[in-house]
Amino acid sequence: MADILGVVFRRFALGTVTSDVIFPPHAEGNTLVLGDVNISRSVLFLAAVTAATDLGLKVLFFTQTAFQALPVSLRASIPGLKLESLKNVKFVYVKTLEELVEDIASLHELASEAASPPSLIIVDGLDRYLHRSRVGPLQDDLSPVAHMAALLHDTAAFLSQILQNRSDGQGLCRVMVSCQSECEGSRDSETLAPELLLSVLDRYLQVRCTLEEVKRDKEVGLNEWQVYLSVMCPSLVQQWHIVLQAGGALEFRPVFSGEQQIVDQPEKIKQENERCGDN
């Protein structure tokens, strides 16, 4: 199966895209999306709709907030999109981490009965689930993060086995999780430090999509983000731009692809590459 983010980037790219989003064959496609809540959610929505409509995949979309209407960015990016087009996307509204864990764990039991298990599991705002579940200082307690990330990883692997058995080895289940970026995460004494959160998630989500805002023009309503699509080990990084037009449509513009120099990468990716080099 083509990588879902790669399909999204190509579909909504400005002009003809000659480069592609390519991951090493041994890398899993489970992805961590880092950035502002609104732009991250827009990327998740585009991924869900693209997987459901273009690829014909079943999608589970877990979120704390019920959606009363399609997001503006989705309606503007895909004119004429109808709600019936989203029949392969199931939105699951869960408020707490405990409910999220229970729902994800139940997929193991339901998979054998389902006509077709989901091929994409999306969790919108995992950091908010973790912080909301706090009953005491969370700063040094990584167990909820590790438990949730491992459960998502193992569930995707389990569902992939079922899908492969049903589709001659071609089926895969992917996980896509969003979190706030480090610069936006809280650093007070009551919450888990962002760098600790990411250190755990990186073990289970090998692909990272980092969204860094580089331009905001309120007068013309044009916002722009730099996108770093990376696999931590080996150090493969590809760069794109996301431009939010005044009407709400998102456009993806490739900058360059392939293996990049460390100086062109965000600090977190530099650190990961240096760590990989030491191993």
Side-chain angles (χ1 to χ4, degrees):
M1 180 182 68
D3 178 77
I4 294 171
L5 273 185
V7 177
V8 172
F9 285 17
R10 290 194 303 273
R11 174 175 178 178
F12 299 99
L14 181 65
T16 303
V17 177
T18 57
S19 60
D20 204 351
V21 178
I22 302 174
F23 298 115
H26 64 276
E28 297 176 351
N30 297 332
T31 303
L32 175 63
V33 180
L34 288 176
D36 172 78
V37 173
N38 293 323
I39 186 64
S40 295
R41 179 171 290 180
S42 294
V43 171
L44 295 185
F45 260 107
L46 288 179
V49 172
T50 301
T53 59
D54 290 19
L55 304 178
L57 304 178
K58 291 186 65 174
V59 181
L60 277 180
F61 195 116
F62 291 94
T63 181
Q64 287 183 329
T65 308
F67 300 102
Q68 303 302 325
L70 294 175
V72 173
S73 59
L74 191 59
R75 298 199 305 267
S77 299
I78 313 177
L81 179 68
K82 304 296 182 181
L83 286 176
E84 54 265 27
S85 303
L86 303 180
K87 60 183 179 181
N88 283 339
V89 181
K90 181 180 180 180
F91 292 96
V92 184
Y93 305 114
V94 288
K95 292 294 186 181
T96 68
L97 181 64
E98 292 73 18
E99 292 173 347
L100 180 62
V101 169
E102 183 178 349
D103 282 357
I104 296 294
S106 68
L107 294 178
H108 290 79
E109 302 172 0
L110 298 176
S112 59
E113 304 174 2
S116 178
S119 295
L120 177 60
I121 300 173
I122 294 176
V123 178
D124 174 32
L126 179 60
D127 55 316
R128 297 194 296 278
Y129 281 106
L130 294 167
H131 293 159
R132 187 166 184 170
S133 69
R134 179 180 59 82
V135 294
L138 187 60
Q139 192 171 23
D140 298 320
D141 186 6
L142 297 176
S143 56
V145 186
H147 182 203
M148 189 70 252
L151 178 61
L152 285 166
H153 180 275
D154 292 347
T155 299
F158 177 79
L159 295 180
S160 289
Q161 288 184 336
I162 295 178
L163 289 167
Q164 288 173 351
N165 291 336
R166 295 183 181 181
S167 56
D168 299 325
Q170 300 301 311
L172 287 175
C173 179
R174 302 295 199 196
V175 170
M176 190 173 296
V177 176
S178 70
C179 279
Q180 280 193 338
S181 61
E182 290 185 41
C183 60
E184 296 165 312
S186 173
R187 292 180 177 274
D188 61 42
S189 60
E190 299 294 325
T191 58
L192 183 65
E195 60 270 16
L196 295 179
L197 174 67
L198 297 182
S199 70
V200 176
L201 294 178
D202 283 341
R203 302 175 193 171
Y204 301 96
L205 306 171
Q206 294 187 346
V207 179
R208 182 182 293 187
C209 179
T210 305
L211 308 168
E212 294 187 348
E213 190 174 48
V214 294
K215 184 178 181 181
R216 180 182 290 270
D217 193 331
K218 295 182 179 180
E219 292 185 1
V220 299
L222 184 68
N223 297 341
E224 185 174 346
W225 289 265
Q226 185 86 338
V227 182
Y228 298 91
L229 194 61
S230 59
V231 178
M232 294 303 172
C233 299
S235 57
L236 177 67
V237 177
Q238 300 178 6
Q239 281 187 308
W240 291 66
H241 279 105
I242 295 180
V243 177
L244 177 62
Q245 302 290 350
L250 291 175
E251 292 181 349
F252 294 79
R253 300 175 180 177
V255 178
F256 53 83
S257 61
E259 196 165 348
Q260 307 300 331
Q261 298 296 320
I262 289 180
V263 295
D264 294 325
Q265 303 167 16
E267 185 62 30
K268 178 61 180 178
I269 299 178
K270 296 182 191 179
Q271 295 172 1
E272 288 295 330
N273 287 334
E274 291 169 356
R275 181 180 63 80
C276 293
D278 294 337
N279 292 337

